[in-house]
Amino acid sequence: MNNRVILIFLMLWMPFLSYSYGLGFYDSTHPIAARTSYNVLGKKECRFKDRFILSFSMSVETPLEIGYVCRIKSSASGSGSIYNLFFDLRGDDYLFRFNEEGKSVLASLPRGKQKLLRDHWFDVVVDINLRSKEISLDIDGERKTFKAKSLPDVFEPEIVFGKSDYLLDVPSMSIDNVRISGDHSHIFPLNESEGNSVADSDGERIGFVENPVWLINSANRWQKEFSMSSPKRIARTYDPVARRFFSSPPTVSIFSTRVRRSCVRRC
């Protein structure tokens, strides 16, 4: 009986350690209509003439380690270019690619999977210099700068995370602390607990999200995730990188605190 109580306690404690504020996404394992889409600026118009910077914290989850993180396009007259940030798993690395949609890959940045999973949160920065026609992509401190001649002189961004138009591949991810800077500045702490509207740090409701997962609800509420019992003494091991519990014998029970799923294997 004691073994069972200890295991349940650990399951309840882990969400508190792993999550605070932020927005989680229903990924492509869910029906298309149920996947998350977050429009950062909504109907608000912001014009950038010198520099536009988008930064945010991101957490990659398993099992779906592939998809579009965000999509950036300008609604300014005469600007037809659309950019997106995509990543997938390549061996031991996550490969992040910044694309000019429908044309070419502008930059690729591989980052070690184990480090990103271990750190849980990492920073992403997209820095668009409209004067020099350059874009810099920074993933977890690794930066790459490249030319983008298609950039307009005036940038009126529409920024969408997750599902966007025909881009339906949404990865298992969470984001936090979304910031826009340059000619205009907005900070989105993503500290909502319910609803579909998103406020900036001044309390102005600007953005809109479909099918949100507000992470603060996981941090503030204790909930039973998994339990097991055994007539014999069992051993337990926790993998902090993969965030999985293992219990054995006579069978190996595995519970992932990332995706809240369990499986049982014969020894």
Side-chain angles (χ1 to χ4, degrees), residues 24-44:
F25 285 70
Y26 288 114
D27 59 29
S28 294
T29 61
H30 295 80
I32 292 175
R35 298 172 194 175
T36 304
S37 176
Y38 169 38
N39 190 317
V40 178
L41 292 174
K43 296 181 180 181
K44 188 177 184 66

Side-chain angles (χ1 to χ4, degrees), residues 15-17 19-21 214-223:
F16 181 81
L17 293 176
Y19 301 99
S20 54
Y21 297 140
W214 297 117
L215 300 186
I216 192 173
N217 293 322
S218 297
N220 289 342
R221 299 174 186 173
W222 292 57
Q223 53 188 334

